Amino acid sequence: MSLLVLALGQLVISLDYNIVYVALPDIGAGLGFSDHDLQWVVSAYVVATGGFLLLGGRAADLLGRRRMFVLAALLYAGSSLVGGLSESPGVLVAVRGIQGIGGSLLFPATLSLITTLYEEGPARNRALAVWGAAGAGGLCLGSLLGGVLVEAFGWPSVFFVNVPVAGVLAVAGRLVFPADGPWDRARRFDVAGALTATGGITLLVFVLVQAPAEGWTTPAVLVGAALSAGLLALFAVVERRSPEPLVPARMFAHRGLLVAMGVTALFSATFSSVPYFLTLYFQTVHGYSPAATGLAFLVPAVVVAAGTQAGGRVVSVFGMRRMLVGGMVLGAAGAAALGLALTSDGAYPKLLPGIVLLGLGQGAAWTGMWIAASAGVAPGDQGIASGLASTTLQVGGAVGLALLVALAGGVGRSTSGPGLLDGLRTAVFAIALGIGVGALALLVRRRVTST
């Protein structure tokens, strides 16, 4: 029962990230968003989640994992209700920011609950595979569910659907998970570190999201970059002097965690960017309706879920590193095949070989990188370890998508027709190259460390 609740929590996080994509045109028309400001329906969630993950991870360690899980679920339920009732762009963007904070609390709480409830080894690997299936599959299922809801009930339904789900999640978390112990008043919370890290990372993600649309030399981007650099530098000073730092220095001596952080950044920059470009391909190039776009993501969702389950079994036989490399090789081959299949005739069956290979590789890599992030980490540090890995996941995604969108725009130089198709194809080929380089780096590192 515990694993079912944890998987549902991860599904909520993934769905909330992706469910609004197919609803964006209707949200823009319904609330009067400008074309420029509409991106913040997505970006506000990304910025808030990325900025608060370290804080959420340490809060889970110090204040209690069950407490943070329940609080995060309640934040999701309340903000989703307000989101569905929103009548102005500003309110909706603020709601998405609050949902992002909920995600930054829920994600590390969920992951650290898994790594403390299940012993390291096969039991934890199986639990992470189930949790991973819910998360990776949710990225694709969000498009399917969003498309169906928008066509049937309008854009507010993509927010209202979260209210009962998150409410049940909060109650279930309270009933199912072991009670947290009393707060240890002797352990201090690094307030200065939390403020500087949260501010610095939030501004960094803001810059990475804003710069491609506004330009890298605009005042908002330059000021944001300067403030981010200053806050992160101050964070380093604070952590060095703090008796109980937000991010203990010992975490950066953990080689397995550092590798996992690199893999999560690459994963988000490559694998997680594919739905964005496929959505453009389906809706803009071929004119799919929201519901048809959602149905087109059903196969990827099923395949990714299968990949996470296969990854959990394969890692027990071949080891985590080999499984990660194998998953990334599959993903690179799948992305290359998908790029070749993006054609103007729009035949969906032509996409299936690439989708299957890419999805299997994505699911396996997703499971493997979270096994790597938790392996060998002390129980009291599991929250901050998951916070570090998930922060690189968010920042990597912001960097990767920004670069890929810029690359696609530079090649296509058009927002429709053949020009856009050329840009989309180039971006998908770049994703294949990035995944392949990551697999090669893992192989090289293994050979270096074994000699």
Side-chain angles (χ1 to χ4, degrees):
M1 185 64 180
S2 295
L3 185 55
L4 178 62
V5 176
L6 291 167
L8 181 61
Q10 180 59 11
L11 182 65
V12 167
I13 296 171
S14 299
L15 286 174
D16 255 21
Y17 174 80
N18 213 39
I19 197 171
V20 299
Y21 272 118
V22 295
L24 287 177
D26 292 76
I27 291 173
L31 295 183
F33 273 93
S34 67
D35 291 340
H36 170 268
D37 291 336
L38 186 59
Q39 65 163 326
W40 282 102
V41 176
V42 175
S43 298
Y45 186 88
V46 174
V47 169
T49 304
F52 283 80
L53 274 166
L54 283 181
L55 180 61
R58 202 53 175 163
D61 287 335
L62 297 180
L63 305 181
R65 297 175 176 92
R66 190 179 77 168
R67 292 187 186 102
M68 289 301 102
F69 186 95
V70 172
L71 173 62
L74 292 175
L75 274 179
Y76 266 119
S79 59
S80 296
L81 178 61
V82 175
L85 298 172
S86 297
E87 296 182 354
S88 71
V91 171
L92 189 62
V93 169
V95 162
R96 290 291 286 167
I98 295 171
Q99 286 183 326
I101 294 173
S104 70
L105 298 177
L106 186 59
F107 191 98
T110 302
L111 188 55
S112 59
L113 277 165
I114 288 178
T115 54
T116 51
L117 290 175
Y118 297 91
E119 185 177 353
E120 185 171 340
R124 184 184 294 178
N125 294 348
R126 285 192 296 271
L128 285 169
V130 173
W131 173 84
L139 292 174
C140 295
L141 284 172
S143 298
L144 171 61
L145 182 61
V148 172
L149 288 174
V150 169
E151 287 216 344
F153 305 106
W155 70 261
S157 60
V158 302
F159 292 95
F160 288 142
V161 72
N162 266 328
V163 178
V165 175
V168 168
L169 197 63
V171 173
R174 179 76 178 176
L175 296 176
V176 170
F177 300 137
D180 298 313
W183 292 359
D184 186 352
R185 305 292 181 180
R187 297 184 68 182
R188 296 174 55 194
F189 195 85
D190 182 11
V191 177
L195 292 175
T196 52
T198 299
I201 295 171
T202 300
L203 285 169
L204 174 61
V205 180
F206 166 80
V207 167
L208 295 172
V209 169
Q210 187 76 354
E214 291 292 307
W216 291 94
T217 58
T218 57
V221 170
L222 291 176
V223 170
L227 289 174
S228 174
L231 285 171
L232 291 175
L234 183 59
F235 170 68
V237 173
V238 168
E239 294 300 277
R240 188 175 302 173
R241 297 180 178 179
S242 174
E244 294 190 35
L246 180 71
V247 183
R250 62 181 177 272
M251 304 305 295
F252 295 105
H254 197 293
R255 292 184 178 181
L257 177 59
L258 294 179
V259 171
M261 289 167 64
V263 173
T264 57
L266 178 67
F267 179 97
S268 190
T270 53
F271 284 108
S272 296
S273 296
V274 171
Y276 175 87
F277 295 103
L278 278 181
T279 299
L280 285 178
Y281 177 74
F282 292 140
Q283 290 193 321
T284 305
V285 176
H286 294 297
Y288 282 24
S289 67
T293 301
L295 288 172
F297 278 101
L298 180 59
V299 173
V302 172
V303 175
V304 168
T308 61
Q309 297 305 300
R313 294 181 174 88
V314 169
V315 72
S316 300
V317 179
F318 295 102
M320 182 270 298
R321 189 181 300 277
R322 288 181 181 177
M323 192 270 284
L324 268 177
V325 171
M328 293 172 76
V329 168
L330 276 179
L338 184 62
L340 292 172
L342 296 179
T343 59
S344 57
D345 64 15
Y348 186 78
K350 290 183 178 180
L351 305 179
L352 291 179
I355 284 174
V356 170
L357 289 175
L358 184 66
L360 289 173
Q362 178 177 350
W366 177 267
T367 299
M369 68 191 191
W370 297 116
I371 293 174
S374 64
V377 177
D381 288 332
Q382 286 290 345
I384 192 60
S386 63
L388 285 167
S390 50
T391 296
T392 55
L393 184 79
Q394 293 294 324
V395 174
V399 173
L401 188 58
L403 293 176
L404 290 166
V405 168
L407 177 64
V411 171
R413 298 187 182 279
S414 175
T415 58
S416 62
L420 175 61
L421 182 58
D422 289 341
L424 296 178
R425 190 182 295 116
T426 300
V428 174
F429 284 140
I431 288 170
L433 177 62
I435 298 171
V437 169
L440 182 61
L442 283 175
L443 280 174
V444 169
R445 184 183 182 278
R446 183 189 181 204
R447 290 176 181 175
V448 170
T449 54
S450 63
T451 57

